[in-house]
Amino acid sequence: MDTMIGVIGGSGLYEIDGLEQAQWVTVNTPWGAPSDAILTGVLGGVKMAFLPRHGRGHVHSPSTVPYRANIDALKRLGVTDVISVSACGSFREDMAPGDFVIVDQFIDRTFAREKSFFGTGCVAHVSVAHPTCPRLGDACHEAAKDAGITVHMGGTYLAMEGPQFSSVAESRMYRESWKADVIGMTNMPEAKLAREAELDYASVAMITDYDSWHPEHGTVDISDIIATLTGNADKGRALVSRLPALLGADRAPCPHHCDRALDYAILTAPDARDPALVAKLDAVAGRVLS
């Protein structure tokens, strides 16, 4: 199988030097339109796809991002490995603005989003005990170090609904009682859907602020975030540009079985499955439903 790296990120992360055969591709999915067209190309001999999570011009809020359409579109294009790059706040003094965190756990506090491709007529339960792929996370960690980025390996990401930032009370609870490391609004249900679609998924959290718990930094200020985001985008491009050499063009099966997550997940008997839902699952679950 050929490797195809899919990067879901913000504006600027698809402006990678050396991207060949670049073209914007419109992908139709049974889950609606994705956030935007997808920029495809080849970098270092490896196929790439770049999807602006909020759309070019930032038109989608965290709650309205079409997460199912985004993951389906990437799978439909042939993506094998998804790198999520997103801004976040930090709950840890040593995880400072400008640092990156390779997330390996989530606490999902979102509530206004569709979180599964499956449902009535085709029920499935996948494991997200370990919601990110260690192989892919290791590659992101190595790429970040090689790019000179201060990067932390491992961390728990608290996914909040937004679009408002946390109250001080919430921020302190997430930090002190729940022991979360970073906070963001977009990695859930993205990571869960990637697992259902049997895509390897890694989360690169780019820290922009200390949320609102830090007594010396005050509340979150969007102008400070934007200033930090600009520098983080440069670092994010540097990280992504190093991934093709680390992952290679020829992809072996995932040693952690991320690409076989549906092997025993579907519970609905074949003769009881809803044909309309099964048809919508052609890209996501075609391997086990066909």
Side-chain angles (χ1 to χ4, degrees), residues 183-208:
I183 184 168
M185 302 180 188
T186 59
N187 276 198
M188 282 291 164
E190 192 175 85
K192 291 177 176 177
L193 294 168
R195 180 58 52 82
E196 288 189 343
E198 300 190 321
L199 294 171
D200 287 28
Y201 181 91
S203 172
V204 179
M206 307 185 299
I207 297 175
T208 59

Side-chain angles (χ1 to χ4, degrees), residues 77-143:
L77 279 176
V79 165
T80 56
D81 301 270
V82 175
I83 312 296
S84 165
V85 184
S86 57
C88 68
S90 170
F91 293 127
R92 301 286 167 248
E93 191 86 49
D94 64 324
M95 294 181 176
D99 292 2
F100 284 15
V101 180
I102 309 302
V103 172
D104 61 357
Q105 283 294 327
F106 293 100
I107 299 171
D108 187 1
R109 294 288 291 167
T110 64
F111 54 82
R113 312 171 189 190
E114 293 289 346
K115 299 189 179 188
S116 179
F117 290 108
F118 298 91
T120 304
C122 193
V123 177
H125 301 278
V126 300
S127 173
V128 288
H130 301 285
T132 63
C133 177
R135 176 190 65 89
L136 206 52
D138 287 345
C140 291
H141 185 238
E142 186 173 344

Side-chain angles (χ1 to χ4, degrees), residues 42-66:
V42 177
L43 185 66
V46 177
K47 292 182 287 186
M48 305 284 291
F50 296 86
L51 174 59
R53 183 186 283 108
H54 297 279
R56 284 168 289 180
H58 206 107
V59 296
H60 287 289
S61 78
S63 296
T64 66
V65 168

Side-chain angles (χ1 to χ4, degrees), residues 202-273:
S203 172
V204 179
M206 307 185 299
I207 297 175
T208 59
D209 59 87
Y210 278 117
D211 203 50
S212 55
W213 66 270
H214 202 299
E216 297 175 13
H217 289 266
T219 57
V220 181
D221 186 281
I222 194 66
S223 60
D224 293 338
I225 288 176
I226 291 172
T228 308
L229 271 175
T230 302
N232 280 354
D234 293 336
K235 296 175 184 177
R237 286 194 295 273
L239 184 157
V240 168
S241 70
R242 287 162 168 78
L243 289 174
L246 292 169
L247 295 176
D250 297 322
R251 187 179 185 281
C254 175
H256 308 285
H257 309 292
C258 300
D259 53 4
R260 291 293 183 271
L262 294 176
D263 273 355
Y264 307 103
I266 297 176
L267 298 186
T268 307
D271 60 355
R273 294 170 186 168

